[in-house]
Amino acid sequence: MNKIRQAIQRIAFCALLSAAAAFPAHADPLPAGFVRLADIDPSIRQDIRYAGSENFLHRKANGYDAPVCILTEQAAKALSSVQKAMAARRMTLVVFDCYRPARAVADMGEWTRQSGPPDPRWYPTVERGDLIAKGYVGELSSHSRGSTVDLAIAELDKKSAVHPACGAPDTGTLDFGTGFDCFDPASETAYHGLRIKAATSRKTLVDAMRAAGFRNYVREWWHFTLQNEPFAKQRFDFPITAP
């Protein structure tokens, strides 16, 4: 009987080892309902600006521990449907920001309270301390609900590390008239002083996103929120991490 019992114990132990090897040592820290965009559609290009210094802060924002797009599952799947439409035209979406931790929003708000002159690259006509009052930086952000995304469209074979924001279009995307996060009236989606090519790019993006259930924020051509977002009254503060 002892030999039988020992054999059963060895079998059970081996089964436990197999189960442990089948699962990662640490569970994914994402809350229920959230996914990494790359797990839904790895073809969407990611250029997460607040994880580096290519943004109006000139540094990484709090909570951006990895240059990774995280969204609610509904928003990620809706965005994937837009990507399929873009791919059929030999183009791709480029996401600049997705879920934004509440701590990053607070970080941005605190940063604006420090005095400073206009920045010709990011906010050429507004003083730093007026960015909240003028509506360019929010004390709260829909990004913290997980179903808002900032993005543009690019040609599949075109990339660039130069992001001029105000004063010139981003050379890594189609011509949208300005780059991402240009805090200026020229970034309003329906701005009247646009070149024909830029106006066409904005309309293409708005139409494609609207067809997938996203609504545009009229002051920022790049900013879209899923209309039927699952956490419309809830904000999150978990950090952005790699898998």
Coordinates of all heavy atoms in Angstrom, one line a residue, residues 114-173:
Q114 N 2.9 75.4 -12.7 CA 4.3 76.0 -12.6 C 4.3 77.0 -13.8 O 3.9 76.7 -14.9 CB 5.4 74.9 -12.8 CG 5.3 73.8 -11.8 CD 6.1 72.6 -12.1 OE1 7.1 72.8 -12.9 NE2 5.8 71.5 -11.7
S115 N 4.8 78.2 -13.5 CA 4.8 79.3 -14.5 C 5.7 79.0 -15.6 O 6.7 78.3 -15.5 CB 5.2 80.6 -13.8 OG 6.5 80.5 -13.3
G116 N 5.4 79.5 -16.8 CA 6.3 79.3 -17.9 C 5.7 80.0 -19.1 O 4.5 80.1 -19.3
P117 N 6.5 80.4 -20.1 CA 6.1 81.1 -21.3 C 5.5 80.1 -22.3 O 5.6 78.9 -22.1 CB 7.3 81.7 -21.8 CG 8.4 80.8 -21.4 CD 8.0 80.3 -20.1
P118 N 4.9 80.6 -23.4 CA 4.5 79.7 -24.4 C 5.6 78.8 -25.0 O 6.8 79.2 -24.9 CB 3.9 80.6 -25.5 CG 3.5 81.8 -24.8 CD 4.5 82.0 -23.6
D119 N 5.3 77.6 -25.4 CA 6.3 76.7 -26.0 C 6.0 76.6 -27.5 O 4.9 76.1 -27.9 CB 6.2 75.4 -25.3 CG 7.2 74.4 -25.8 OD1 7.7 74.5 -27.0 OD2 7.6 73.4 -25.0
P120 N 6.8 77.1 -28.4 CA 6.5 77.1 -29.8 C 6.2 75.8 -30.4 O 5.5 75.7 -31.4 CB 7.7 77.8 -30.4 CG 8.8 77.6 -29.4 CD 8.2 77.7 -28.1
R121 N 6.7 74.7 -29.8 CA 6.5 73.4 -30.3 C 5.2 72.8 -29.9 O 4.5 72.1 -30.7 CB 7.6 72.5 -29.8 CG 7.5 71.1 -30.4 CD 8.6 70.2 -30.0 NE 8.5 68.8 -30.6 CZ 9.3 67.8 -30.3 NH1 10.3 68.0 -29.5 NH2 9.1 66.6 -30.9
W122 N 4.7 73.1 -28.7 CA 3.5 72.5 -28.2 C 2.3 73.4 -27.9 O 1.2 73.0 -28.1 CB 3.8 71.7 -26.9 CG 4.9 70.7 -27.1 CD1 6.2 70.8 -26.7 CD2 4.8 69.4 -27.7 NE1 6.9 69.7 -27.1 CE2 6.1 68.8 -27.7 CE3 3.7 68.7 -28.2 CZ2 6.3 67.5 -28.2 CZ3 3.9 67.4 -28.7 CH2 5.2 66.8 -28.7
Y123 N 2.6 74.6 -27.4 CA 1.5 75.6 -27.1 C 2.0 77.0 -27.4 O 2.4 77.7 -26.5 CB 1.0 75.4 -25.7 CG 2.1 75.3 -24.6 CD1 2.5 76.4 -23.8 CD2 2.6 74.0 -24.3 CE1 3.5 76.2 -22.9 CE2 3.6 73.9 -23.4 CZ 4.0 74.9 -22.6 OH 5.0 74.8 -21.7
P124 N 2.0 77.3 -28.7 CA 2.7 78.5 -29.2 C 2.1 79.9 -28.8 O 2.8 80.9 -28.8 CB 2.7 78.4 -30.7 CG 1.6 77.5 -31.0 CD 1.5 76.5 -29.8
T125 N 0.8 79.9 -28.4 CA 0.2 81.1 -28.1 C -0.4 81.2 -26.7 O -1.1 82.2 -26.4 CB -1.0 81.4 -29.1 OG1 -2.0 80.4 -29.0 CG2 -0.4 81.4 -30.6
V126 N -0.2 80.2 -25.9 CA -0.8 80.1 -24.6 C 0.3 79.9 -23.5 O 1.3 79.1 -23.7 CB -1.8 78.9 -24.4 CG1 -2.4 78.9 -23.1 CG2 -2.8 79.0 -25.5
E127 N 0.2 80.7 -22.4 CA 1.2 80.4 -21.4 C 0.9 79.1 -20.6 O -0.3 78.7 -20.6 CB 1.2 81.6 -20.4 CG 1.6 82.9 -21.0 CD 2.3 83.9 -20.0 OE1 2.4 83.5 -18.8 OE2 2.7 85.0 -20.4
R128 N 1.9 78.5 -20.1 CA 1.8 77.2 -19.5 C 0.7 77.2 -18.4 O -0.1 76.3 -18.3 CB 3.2 76.9 -18.9 CG 3.2 75.6 -18.1 CD 4.7 75.3 -17.9 NE 4.9 74.2 -16.9 CZ 6.1 73.7 -16.6 NH1 7.2 74.2 -17.2 NH2 6.2 72.8 -15.7
G129 N 0.7 78.3 -17.6 CA -0.3 78.4 -16.5 C -1.7 78.5 -16.9 O -2.6 78.4 -16.1
D130 N -2.0 78.8 -18.2 CA -3.3 79.0 -18.7 C -3.8 77.8 -19.5 O -4.9 77.8 -20.0 CB -3.4 80.2 -19.6 CG -3.1 81.5 -18.9 OD1 -3.5 81.5 -17.7 OD2 -2.6 82.5 -19.5
L131 N -3.1 76.7 -19.5 CA -3.5 75.5 -20.4 C -4.7 74.9 -19.9 O -5.5 74.4 -20.7 CB -2.3 74.5 -20.4 CG -1.1 74.9 -21.3 CD1 0.0 73.9 -21.1 CD2 -1.5 75.0 -22.7
I132 N -5.0 74.8 -18.5 CA -6.2 74.3 -18.0 C -7.4 75.2 -18.3 O -8.4 74.8 -18.8 CB -6.1 74.0 -16.5 CG1 -5.2 72.7 -16.3 CG2 -7.5 73.7 -15.9 CD1 -5.0 72.4 -14.8
A133 N -7.2 76.5 -18.0 CA -8.3 77.5 -18.2 C -8.7 77.5 -19.7 O -9.9 77.7 -20.0 CB -7.8 78.8 -17.7
K134 N -7.7 77.4 -20.6 CA -8.1 77.4 -22.0 C -8.6 76.1 -22.5 O -9.0 76.0 -23.7 CB -6.8 77.8 -22.8 CG -6.3 79.2 -22.5 CD -7.2 80.3 -23.0 CE -6.6 81.7 -22.8 NZ -7.5 82.7 -23.3
G135 N -8.6 75.1 -21.7 CA -9.2 73.8 -22.1 C -8.3 72.8 -22.8 O -8.7 71.8 -23.3
Y136 N -7.0 73.1 -22.8 CA -6.0 72.2 -23.5 C -5.5 71.1 -22.6 O -5.2 70.0 -23.1 CB -4.8 73.0 -24.0 CG -5.2 74.0 -25.1 CD1 -5.1 75.4 -24.9 CD2 -5.7 73.5 -26.3 CE1 -5.4 76.2 -25.9 CE2 -6.0 74.4 -27.3 CZ -5.9 75.7 -27.1 OH -6.2 76.6 -28.1
V137 N -5.5 71.2 -21.3 CA -5.2 70.2 -20.3 C -6.4 70.1 -19.4 O -6.8 71.1 -18.8 CB -3.9 70.5 -19.6 CG1 -3.6 69.4 -18.5 CG2 -2.7 70.6 -20.6
G138 N -6.9 68.9 -19.1 CA -8.0 68.7 -18.3 C -7.6 68.2 -16.9 O -6.6 67.5 -16.7
E139 N -8.4 68.7 -15.9 CA -8.1 68.3 -14.5 C -8.7 66.9 -14.3 O -8.3 66.2 -13.4 CB -8.8 69.3 -13.5 CG -8.1 70.6 -13.5 CD -8.7 71.6 -12.5 OE1 -9.7 72.1 -12.7 OE2 -8.0 71.7 -11.4
L140 N -9.6 66.5 -15.2 CA -10.0 65.1 -15.3 C -9.9 64.7 -16.7 O -9.9 65.6 -17.6 CB -11.5 64.9 -14.8 CG -11.8 65.3 -13.3 CD1 -13.3 65.2 -13.1 CD2 -11.1 64.3 -12.4
S141 N -9.8 63.4 -17.0 CA -9.7 63.0 -18.4 C -10.5 61.7 -18.7 O -10.5 60.8 -17.9 CB -8.2 62.7 -18.7 OG -8.0 62.2 -20.0
S142 N -11.1 61.7 -19.8 CA -11.9 60.6 -20.3 C -10.9 59.4 -20.5 O -11.3 58.2 -20.5 CB -12.7 60.8 -21.5 OG -11.8 61.2 -22.6
H143 N -9.6 59.7 -20.7 CA -8.7 58.6 -20.9 C -8.6 57.7 -19.7 O -8.3 56.5 -19.9 CB -7.3 59.2 -21.2 CG -7.0 59.7 -22.6 ND1 -6.7 58.9 -23.6 CD2 -7.1 61.0 -23.1 CE1 -6.5 59.6 -24.7 NE2 -6.8 60.9 -24.4
S144 N -8.9 58.2 -18.6 CA -8.8 57.3 -17.3 C -9.9 56.4 -17.2 O -9.9 55.5 -16.4 CB -8.7 58.2 -16.1 OG -7.6 59.1 -16.1
R145 N -10.9 56.5 -18.1 CA -12.0 55.5 -18.1 C -11.7 54.3 -19.0 O -12.4 53.3 -19.1 CB -13.3 56.2 -18.6 CG -13.7 57.4 -17.7 CD -15.1 57.8 -17.9 NE -15.4 58.2 -19.3 CZ -15.6 59.5 -19.7 NH1 -15.3 60.4 -18.9 NH2 -15.9 59.7 -21.0
G146 N -10.6 54.4 -19.8 CA -10.1 53.3 -20.6 C -10.7 53.1 -22.0 O -10.3 52.2 -22.7
S147 N -11.6 54.0 -22.4 CA -12.2 53.8 -23.8 C -11.9 55.0 -24.7 O -12.6 55.2 -25.7 CB -13.7 53.5 -23.7 OG -13.9 52.3 -23.0
T148 N -10.9 55.8 -24.3 CA -10.6 56.9 -25.1 C -9.2 56.7 -25.7 O -8.3 56.2 -25.0 CB -10.6 58.2 -24.3 OG1 -11.9 58.5 -23.9 CG2 -10.0 59.4 -25.1
V149 N -9.0 57.1 -27.0 CA -7.7 56.9 -27.6 C -7.4 58.1 -28.5 O -8.2 58.8 -29.0 CB -7.8 55.6 -28.5 CG1 -8.9 55.8 -29.6 CG2 -6.5 55.3 -29.2
D150 N -6.1 58.5 -28.5 CA -5.5 59.5 -29.4 C -4.8 58.8 -30.5 O -3.9 58.0 -30.2 CB -4.6 60.4 -28.6 CG -5.3 61.2 -27.5 OD1 -6.5 61.4 -27.6 OD2 -4.6 61.6 -26.5
L151 N -5.1 59.2 -31.7 CA -4.5 58.5 -32.8 C -4.5 59.2 -34.1 O -5.1 60.3 -34.2 CB -5.2 57.1 -33.0 CG -6.6 57.1 -33.7 CD1 -7.0 55.7 -34.0 CD2 -7.7 57.8 -32.9
A152 N -3.8 58.7 -35.1 CA -3.7 59.2 -36.4 C -3.7 58.1 -37.4 O -3.7 56.9 -37.0 CB -2.5 60.2 -36.6
I153 N -3.5 58.4 -38.7 CA -3.4 57.4 -39.8 C -2.1 57.6 -40.4 O -1.6 58.8 -40.6 CB -4.5 57.5 -40.8 CG1 -5.9 57.4 -40.1 CG2 -4.4 56.5 -41.9 CD1 -7.1 57.7 -41.1
A154 N -1.4 56.5 -40.8 CA -0.1 56.6 -41.5 C -0.1 55.6 -42.7 O -0.9 54.6 -42.7 CB 1.0 56.3 -40.6
E155 N 0.7 55.9 -43.6 CA 1.0 54.9 -44.7 C 1.7 53.7 -44.1 O 2.6 53.9 -43.2 CB 1.7 55.5 -45.8 CG 1.0 56.7 -46.5 CD 1.8 57.4 -47.6 OE1 2.9 56.9 -47.8 OE2 1.3 58.4 -48.1
L156 N 1.5 52.5 -44.6 CA 2.1 51.4 -44.0 C 3.6 51.4 -44.0 O 4.2 50.9 -43.0 CB 1.6 50.1 -44.7 CG 0.3 49.5 -44.3 CD1 -0.1 48.4 -45.2 CD2 0.3 49.1 -42.8
D157 N 4.2 51.9 -45.0 CA 5.7 51.9 -45.1 C 6.3 53.2 -44.7 O 7.5 53.4 -45.0 CB 6.1 51.6 -46.5 CG 5.5 52.6 -47.5 OD1 4.7 53.4 -47.1 OD2 5.9 52.5 -48.7
K158 N 5.6 54.1 -44.0 CA 6.1 55.4 -43.6 C 6.2 55.6 -42.1 O 5.2 55.5 -41.4 CB 5.3 56.5 -44.2 CG 5.9 57.9 -44.2 CD 5.0 58.9 -44.9 CE 5.7 60.2 -45.0 NZ 4.8 61.2 -45.7
K159 N 7.4 55.8 -41.6 CA 7.7 56.0 -40.2 C 8.6 57.2 -40.0 O 9.4 57.5 -40.9 CB 8.3 54.8 -39.5 CG 7.3 53.6 -39.4 CD 8.0 52.5 -38.7 CE 7.1 51.3 -38.6 NZ 7.7 50.1 -37.8
S160 N 8.5 57.9 -38.9 CA 9.4 59.0 -38.6 C 9.6 59.1 -37.1 O 8.7 58.9 -36.3 CB 8.9 60.3 -39.2 OG 9.6 61.4 -38.8
A161 N 10.8 59.6 -36.7 CA 11.0 59.9 -35.3 C 10.9 61.3 -35.0 O 11.2 61.8 -33.9 CB 12.4 59.4 -34.9
V162 N 10.5 62.1 -36.0 CA 10.4 63.6 -35.8 C 8.9 63.9 -35.6 O 8.1 63.6 -36.5 CB 11.0 64.3 -37.0 CG1 10.8 65.8 -36.8 CG2 12.4 63.9 -37.2
H163 N 8.6 64.6 -34.5 CA 7.2 64.9 -34.2 C 7.1 66.4 -33.9 O 7.2 66.8 -32.7 CB 6.7 64.1 -33.0 CG 7.0 62.6 -33.1 ND1 6.6 61.8 -34.1 CD2 7.8 61.8 -32.3 CE1 7.0 60.6 -33.9 NE2 7.8 60.5 -32.9
P164 N 6.9 67.2 -34.9 CA 7.0 68.7 -34.7 C 5.8 69.3 -33.9 O 5.8 70.4 -33.5 CB 7.1 69.2 -36.1 CG 6.4 68.2 -36.9 CD 6.8 66.9 -36.3
A165 N 4.6 68.6 -33.9 CA 3.4 69.1 -33.2 C 2.9 70.3 -33.8 O 2.4 70.3 -34.9 CB 3.6 69.2 -31.7
C166 N 3.1 71.5 -33.2 CA 2.6 72.8 -33.8 C 3.6 73.3 -34.8 O 4.8 73.1 -34.8 CB 2.5 73.8 -32.7 SG 1.2 73.4 -31.4
G167 N 3.0 73.9 -35.8 CA 3.8 74.5 -36.9 C 4.0 73.7 -38.1 O 4.4 74.2 -39.1
A168 N 3.9 72.3 -37.9 CA 4.1 71.4 -39.1 C 3.4 70.1 -38.8 O 3.3 69.7 -37.6 CB 5.6 71.2 -39.3
P169 N 3.0 69.4 -39.8 CA 2.4 68.1 -39.6 C 3.5 67.1 -39.2 O 4.7 67.2 -39.5 CB 1.8 67.7 -40.9 CG 2.6 68.5 -41.9 CD 2.9 69.8 -41.2
D170 N 3.1 66.0 -38.5 CA 4.0 64.9 -38.2 C 4.3 64.2 -39.5 O 3.5 63.7 -40.2 CB 3.3 64.0 -37.2 CG 4.2 63.0 -36.6 OD1 5.1 62.4 -37.3 OD2 4.0 62.7 -35.4
T171 N 5.6 64.0 -39.7 CA 6.0 63.4 -41.0 C 5.9 61.9 -41.0 O 6.0 61.3 -42.0 CB 7.5 63.7 -41.3 OG1 8.3 63.3 -40.2 CG2 7.7 65.2 -41.5
G172 N 5.5 61.3 -39.8 CA 5.3 59.9 -39.8 C 3.9 59.5 -40.0 O 3.5 58.3 -40.0
T173 N 3.0 60.5 -40.2 CA 1.6 60.2 -40.5 C 1.1 60.9 -41.7 O 1.9 61.6 -42.4 CB 0.7 60.7 -39.3 OG1 0.7 62.1 -39.3 CG2 1.2 60.1 -38.0

